[in-house]
Amino acid sequence: MSVANSHETDTPRPIDGRTDFPPVYRASLADRFRRFLSPDSVITDDETIRPYECDGLSMYCEMPQMVLLPETVEQVQQIMRICHAEEVPVVARGAGTGLSAGAMPHAGGIVLSLAKFNRILSIDPQARSARLQPGVRNLAISEAAAKYGLYYGPDPSSQIACTIGGNVAENSGGVHCLKYGLTVHNLLSVEVVTAEGERVTIGSDGYDSCGMDLLALMTGSEGLLGIVTEVQVKLLPKPEVAQVVMAGFDTVQAAGAAVAGIIGHGIIPGGLEMMDGFAIQAAEDFAHAGYPTDAAALLLCEVDGTEEEVHDHIHQAESLFRALGATSVRTSGSEEERALLWKGRKSAFPAVGRISPDYYCMDGTIPRSQLAHVLTEMQRLSDHYGLRVANVFHAGDGNLHPLILFDANVEGEFERTEAFGGDILNLCVAVGGSITGEHGVGMEKIRQMPNQFGNLEVSQFHAIKQAFDTLGILNPGKGVPTLRQCQEYRAIGPLRQPDASQAGEASHG
Amino acid sequence: MGDISQQLTEQVKQAAETGTALAITGGASKSFLGRGLWGQPLSLAEHTGIVSYEPVELVMTARAGTRLADIDAVLAENNQRLAFEPPRFGDTDTIGGTLAANLSGPGRPWQGSVRDLVLGLRLINGRGEHLKFGGQVMKNVAGYDASRLQAGALGTLGVITEVSLKVLPLPAMEQTLVQPMAQQQAIATMNQLAGQPKPLSAACWYDGHLYLRLSGAAAAVEATAKRWMADSGGEMKVREDGEAFWRDLRDQRLPFFSGSEPLWRFSVNPTAAMEELGNQALIDWGGAQRWSRQDDSLSVMAERAARAGGQVSLFCHGDRSGEVMHPQPSPLRAIQQRLKAAFDPNGIFNPGHLYSWL
Ligand SMILES: Cc1cc2nc3c(=O)[nH]c(=O)nc-3n(C[C@H](O)[C@H](O)[C@@H](O)COP(=O)(O)OP(=O)(O)OC[C@H]3O[C@@H](n4cnc5c(N)ncnc54)[C@H](O)[C@@H]3O)c2cc1C
Ligand SMILES: Cc1cc2nc3c(=O)[nH]c(=O)nc-3n(C[C@H](O)[C@H](O)[C@H](O)COP(=O)(O)OP(=O)(O)OC[C@H]3O[C@@H](n4cnc5c(N)ncnc54)[C@H](O)[C@@H]3O)c2cc1C
């Protein structure tokens, strides 16, 4: 098999890997894996493979040739060496909670599950760090660190299930990332097995390393640059106190102005979340948190720190919200009340799931000043497509999660939903934002990439990929479109050109 | 204030055609970093100006040659700052050079580094293509993080022309505490205090003293200072000219940094003892950054760094004809060489500046 490996070509060879998988070949490959993996770690029958056919975005699915569940890093290396020699695509998989079909299998490849790498290797309370296998669940880190008064900062809503390896691959965020950062800000080092099966550590116990920042490059690379086999994270001291102020507003504009007001005042809240009227109603029906269901927008502003600091800032936040036109203001007086106020927000997805047969969660980011404009446009799109949309929003850092409600059993409705979603993402780009804040491009947002990046940037991404994975066997077809796809998607264009002409007007609100 | 990116792009294209090495300079204030810088100078000094600044969005975008002093002045008007406290080695330090060198000040463990606060940038690669990565929003995971990749690359991948950064409000209050303390006890104390949920924002050990800085809401800073001073049995005191101390530490103006013996920078596990560095060492970043002035070989120093869980570089002075950065294991070396080729196929940017093989 000839290898087209040239930095000169703008697009690498169509990285489809092997497509010729005669049963005999598949059986012999499985035999080779069984020489060093236990028999139950090499899954080849359809029934057992089935649960691996998709991630959290179940509309995208594919059956792989087989699923492997190694237990040691040496086994991961051996798998990679074989797959590299045979040019077999490899899709890494953590918990499969991803929302962009990043862990969707390749039809001609294997799924490499890190599920058995579920041990916390060590916690160093003095240095405030933890060494983890990649399959450790996000929440398990904070649970284990709690006895030292420490916790792990990034807290995706999926933290009960998602793995730290998946978090690294997606650069996951959470409700508290405005103050405590994304995954990339909370890592010390990762151990990676390369496409060729080499084992390397990137980063160290110290904060900075010499040379190019490969740790940042690996973070958010969606399984396209290497297999993460160990992660060392920073741990933070648990804040003494946290309190949340809930404020209702008559208009989304007023709530947006209140977000700007808080930050302009010099307060960086631990979390700052917004919900629109539709989301408030759904969350209240579900969680009975006492949300003001007549409000058009709701803010949850959590302040954490020392007793003195929180006391100061909560008072300032309350009076600021009132001065900026809040129709209701309520502050948590106890841990129970704080948990209750958050419960509504945290269960917004399932709450919306209850009022609609299906929903599709989008993940765009925008400059905060564009919020009112974007929400108005989104309502126009909603009317245009005849599909309802509920909005939950990491308001502090401009990350929108519109939930489009649809019914997959109605013919053509999912296609309309996808078109609507694509328009929302293009709108985000048009106002200076991004098509994804934390869920990744995966398979799902490949079509929108050419709207955010030109051909030159896309070519540079391919060149970066080739520096790590010359044959293109790692998660092929995801993350970055080929130049041909770019041309094709741009030619088709968004179904409806989002109106960016008014962009900027909203910033005076 | 000027945009000369067109001209810079032309210069790069020409150099690529003729295979001419380019030496990228900002304000040349950090020209002592890295190995030598050979080639035809490509200066960013005229490529200046703040392109946009939205205080409420906490975002600033500036051309790479903009001087830190100019950025500081504009931010201060809005009660904001570059929270990573970039060192100033002169009056000419630029934002591009600061990012390329990945330099951050004493607050780095708590407020983040320049790479942590970068949101996006524009870059001319070795083909003379002017590229745009990341953006002006806090969260953006589309495509690879080619922005942060530049931090520490010392200009070997391309010419940074524009940088977007997250900026932060100035703390309402800062206070500095100082206590005479032996080195090893200071290391333990810094780590122990950093594990408490208190507004600690810098911790350093220098010349037999532990220095701590508290930043945040006035009530929190005052209560913490009072408590820690009481806990120390009266040994810990407020230092009045605290701000000047941290500035001198940041800009390497303390007496420790004068003279011309080799200056080594260790980035290590904050709890590492590293007694072999002796009492002459300076400890910053709550233990995670150690400065030492010793005439030793890179390999000896690298071994010490590795034992302490980290890396070392010969920051300035000493023999700069050999390697000055921590050795890279061969797979990482190969990856960085291929990345270099991916950005700069003709090898025109700062050749041999970061590593002899790059
Ligand atoms: C020991 C010591 C000695 C000093 N001696 C002097 C002195 O003699 N004279 C003096 O004026 N100052 C001196 N300084 C201070 C220092 O040289 C300057 O203060 C300073 O201006 C650094 O910032 P810069 O932006 O100029 O970066 P530069 O020094 O120009 O560059 C730093 C690094 O970043 C790269 N780089 C810069 N800009 C870009 C870009 N846009 N894109 C990609 N890569 C880039 C460069 O190639 C270089 O690798 C000294 C400092 C120390 C500590
Ligand atoms: C209800 C719900 C709420 C969510 N909320 C959030 C949120 O608040 N914030 C947020 O950021 N995300 C959120 N997500 C998305 C998702 O949980 C995150 O992207 C998470 O990090 C994925 O982790 P995982 O272990 O499930 O990875 P998977 O879905 O298994 O994989 C995700 C990607 O990472 C790659 N990968 C996985 N493990 C490795 C490894 N060891 N080495 C290399 N590549 C690997 C895969 O190939 C794939 O491309 C949510 C998802 C759900 C279902």
Side-chain angles (χ1 to χ4, degrees):
Chain A
M1 210 168 289
S2 79
V3 176
N5 164 29
S6 157
H7 299 303
E8 305 307 321
T9 55
D10 281 336
T11 300
R13 99 205 149 86
I15 37 181
D16 300 327
R18 279 198 91 98
T19 40
D20 48 330
F21 247 92
V24 191
Y25 175 68
R26 170 170 144 162
S28 79
L29 199 59
D31 278 343
R32 285 177 71 182
F33 291 131
R34 284 197 189 95
R35 271 178 229 152
F36 58 92
L37 294 173
S38 62
D40 64 330
S41 298
V42 182
I43 304 172
T44 50
D45 66 293
D46 280 0
E47 200 184 327
T48 323
I49 287 179
R50 185 71 63 194
Y52 295 89
E53 71 176 351
C54 66
D55 64 7
L57 187 62
S58 56
M59 292 76 105
Y60 289 72
C61 48
E62 189 73 83
M63 289 290 279
Q65 291 297 320
M66 67 190 84
V67 176
L68 304 179
L69 290 129
E71 287 172 75
T72 67
V73 180
E74 290 74 18
Q75 289 172 349
V76 174
Q77 287 181 275
Q78 272 175 290
I79 292 170
M80 289 314 299
R81 283 191 205 114
I82 291 173
C83 290
H84 191 258
E86 298 288 321
E87 295 193 37
V88 172
V90 177
V91 179
R93 185 183 177 95
T97 68
L99 290 175
S100 57
M104 185 188 86
H106 189 285
I110 64 153
V111 166
L112 197 167
S113 165
L114 283 306
K116 290 188 176 174
F117 288 84
N118 59 1
R119 280 190 309 124
I120 294 179
L121 298 171
S122 64
I123 292 184
D124 183 340
Q126 272 78 41
R128 289 150 282 121
S129 64
R131 280 177 52 237
L132 314 157
Q133 289 191 326
V136 170
R137 290 173 306 110
N138 174 294
L139 186 61
I141 309 167
S142 290
E143 284 171 350
K147 62 171 168 285
Y148 307 107
L150 302 170
Y151 75 106
Y152 175 62
D155 56 342
S157 307
S158 52
Q159 67 179 158
I160 303 174
C162 68
T163 68
I164 188 67
N167 291 174
V168 172
E170 300 287 9
N171 191 16
S172 298
V175 164
H176 291 95
C177 58
L178 176 63
K179 186 165 175 187
Y180 298 105
L182 307 164
T183 304
V184 71
H185 301 111
N186 288 278
L187 296 178
L188 289 169
S189 65
V190 294
E191 182 191 75
V192 173
V193 170
T194 66
E196 280 140 31
E198 284 188 286
R199 183 177 185 170
V200 291
T201 298
I202 298 174
S204 76
D205 297 356
Y207 299 134
D208 289 336
S209 298
C210 292
M212 306 167 190
D213 196 336
L214 300 179
L215 184 57
L217 189 60
M218 277 306 301
T219 312
S221 64
E222 304 193 13
L224 271 82
L225 302 183
I227 308 292
V228 176
T229 49
E230 194 181 308
V231 185
Q232 187 179 199
V233 299
K234 297 177 197 167
L235 300 174
L236 300 167
K238 207 165 173 305
E240 275 174 14
V241 219
Q243 257 184 308
V244 57
V245 185
M246 173 178 82
F249 293 86
D250 271 346
T251 63
V252 173
Q253 282 83 344
V259 170
I262 282 284
I263 291 173
H265 196 71
I267 298 176
I268 304 292
L272 188 53
E273 299 281 308
M274 190 191 290
M275 297 164 78
D276 70 1
F278 197 178
I280 298 170
Q281 184 71 55
E284 178 59 20
D285 290 349
F286 186 86
H288 309 292
Y291 286 179
T293 50
D294 54 343
L298 181 103
L299 284 186
L300 289 171
C301 172
E302 179 159 296
V303 179
D304 62 10
T306 65
E307 306 248 5
E308 302 84 12
E309 191 173 7
V310 173
H311 185 80
D312 253 30
H313 285 176
I314 284 284
H315 273 289
Q316 292 175 29
E318 283 173 345
S319 37
L320 253 167
F321 287 149
R322 285 214 177 82
L324 292 170
T327 49
S328 64
V329 175
R330 177 175 152 196
T331 301
S332 65
S334 65
E335 268 307 289
E336 291 72 45
E337 193 177 1
R338 184 174 80 95
L340 183 66
L341 290 179
W342 274 118
K343 188 178 164 205
R345 163 62 186 90
K346 288 197 169 165
S347 54
F349 290 11
V352 167
R354 232 173 45 148
I355 57 172
S356 170
D358 301 284
Y359 70 89
Y360 192 8
C361 174
M362 309 305 297
D363 166 47
T365 61
I366 55 169
R368 270 186 281 100
S369 61
Q370 299 294 331
L371 177 63
H373 167 68
V374 167
L375 290 185
T376 310
E377 264 301 288
M378 216 186 293
Q379 191 53 52
R380 285 233 309 252
L381 289 168
S382 167
D383 296 342
H384 172 84
Y385 285 103
L387 293 166
R388 294 179 299 168
V389 61
N391 263 293
V392 294
F393 184 44
H394 302 303
D397 40 30
N399 192 180
L400 288 167
H401 286 315
L403 304 171
I404 304 173
L405 280 53
F406 72 102
D407 184 348
N409 289 324
V410 174
E411 171 122 6
E413 200 154 300
F414 177 59
E415 288 70 22
R416 277 215 321 282
T417 302
E418 272 202 303
F420 182 5
D423 282 359
I424 293 175
L425 298 183
N426 291 333
L427 174 63
C428 290
V429 175
V431 300
S434 168
I435 58 171
T436 173
E438 56 184 20
H439 294 169
V441 174
M443 199 68 198
E444 180 207 20
K445 292 186 259 305
I446 278 277
R447 297 188 74 93
Q448 282 78 37
M449 279 292 279
N451 289 315
Q452 188 167 336
F453 297 100
N455 281 359
L456 295 179
E457 284 82 8
V458 167
S459 301
Q460 189 64 70
F461 287 148
H462 286 303
I464 291 172
K465 162 81 168 166
Q466 281 203 327
F468 283 81
D469 179 15
T470 42
L471 301 182
I473 59 169
L474 289 168
N475 218 356
K478 313 269 181 66
V480 185
T482 62
L483 288 180
R484 228 186 56 211
Q485 284 174 313
C486 288
Q487 197 180 7
E488 197 181 307
Y489 299 153
R490 286 201 198 100
I492 301 167
L495 292 187
R496 192 190 150 286
Q497 207 65 43
D499 178 8
S501 59
Q502 294 152 38
E505 286 196 357
S507 58
H508 306 295
Chain B
M1 181 151 155
D3 177 356
I4 59 160
S5 54
Q6 200 88 39
Q7 181 190 324
L8 292 167
T9 307
E10 282 312 314
Q11 280 176 272
V12 171
K13 274 190 187 145
Q14 252 173 34
E17 267 167 35
T18 54
T20 310
L22 293 176
I24 309 172
T25 60
S29 68
K30 294 177 243 314
S31 45
F32 56 88
L33 292 172
R35 302 171 74 250
L37 199 49
W38 301 273
Q40 183 181 311
L42 183 78
S43 173
L44 275 287
E46 301 296 317
H47 188 58
T48 59
I50 292 166
V51 178
S52 70
Y53 172 37
E54 298 284 342
V56 167
E57 299 276 340
L58 304 176
V59 178
M60 172 181 274
T61 300
R63 297 200 183 96
T66 311
R67 294 186 180 186
L68 295 179
D70 296 334
I71 292 178
D72 286 341
V74 173
L75 288 174
E77 282 168 24
N78 289 282
N79 235 14
Q80 295 186 337
R81 62 165 181 165
L82 296 175
F84 61 92
E85 301 181 273
R88 327 293 148 115
F89 294 129
D91 302 324
T92 59
D93 303 66
T94 65
I95 188 65
T98 298
L99 175 61
N102 192 25
L103 292 178
S104 311
R108 194 252 182 266
W110 294 275
Q111 298 290 346
S113 63
V114 57
R115 75 73 112 150
D116 285 333
L117 295 163
V118 157
L119 301 174
L121 51 74
R122 301 197 68 188
L123 175 94
I124 305 170
N125 68 11
R127 296 184 191 84
E129 297 165 347
H130 202 185
L131 309 173
K132 185 167 182 286
F133 296 110
Q136 299 185 304
V137 283
M138 297 293 154
K139 293 165 81 176
N140 182 357
V141 293
Y144 302 115
D145 194 342
S147 307
R148 293 195 171 92
L149 177 65
Q150 308 304 324
L154 280 182
T156 51
L157 297 176
V159 184
I160 302 164
T161 55
E162 199 174 289
V163 184
S164 293
L165 289 162
K166 178 177 179 180
V167 298
L168 283 167
L170 280 166
M173 185 185 182
E174 299 213 302
Q175 197 161 60
T176 299
L177 303 172
V178 61
Q179 178 177 357
M181 200 178 276
Q183 190 189 58
Q184 293 304 311
Q185 193 196 340
I187 294 172
T189 306
M190 288 182 205
N191 281 289
Q192 189 251 326
L193 295 179
Q196 296 181 13
K198 297 294 181 188
L200 185 64
S201 69
C204 162
W205 181 84
Y206 168 56
D207 200 16
H209 289 78
L210 171 70
Y211 294 83
L212 303 170
R213 184 179 64 190
L214 297 165
S215 311
V221 168
E222 279 162 1
T224 305
K226 209 169 132 194
R227 166 119 174 244
W228 285 359
M229 286 193 286
D231 289 350
S232 76
E235 291 217 1
M236 190 182 282
K237 302 218 160 53
V238 172
R239 174 157 166 154
E240 294 305 339
D241 63 340
E243 210 180 316
F245 173 79
W246 297 110
R247 196 171 50 234
D248 287 349
L249 171 63
R250 182 195 74 187
D251 298 347
Q252 304 194 346
R253 290 178 198 283
L254 294 173
F256 173 87
F257 292 102
S258 62
S260 59
E261 306 101 288
L263 176 66
W264 299 90
R265 174 187 175 231
F266 289 88
S267 173
V268 294
N269 188 311
T271 61
M274 296 199 86
E275 280 171 288
E276 64 274 23
L277 297 187
N279 269 322
Q280 307 318 317
L282 186 152
I283 304 178
D284 195 6
W285 292 5
Q289 178 168 254
R290 317 270 172 111
W291 296 97
S292 168
R293 312 216 57 163
Q294 264 169 300
D295 212 349
D296 242 318
S297 69
L298 178 70
S299 59
V300 168
M301 291 304 203
E303 205 173 294
R304 287 177 178 170
R307 273 202 306 273
Q311 303 198 346
V312 71
S313 62
L314 179 54
F315 194 78
C316 64
H317 310 300
D319 174 14
R320 311 196 75 78
S321 60
E323 299 296 350
V324 296
M325 298 277 168
H326 199 85
Q328 300 271 353
S330 64
L332 288 186
R333 183 170 157 159
I335 287 171
Q336 289 182 73
Q337 282 172 325
R338 292 198 297 253
L339 277 172
K340 165 81 173 167
F343 279 86
D344 178 18
N346 302 309
I348 57 172
F349 295 130
N350 289 355
H353 181 45
L354 181 60
Y355 286 101
S356 63
W357 42 265
L358 209 64

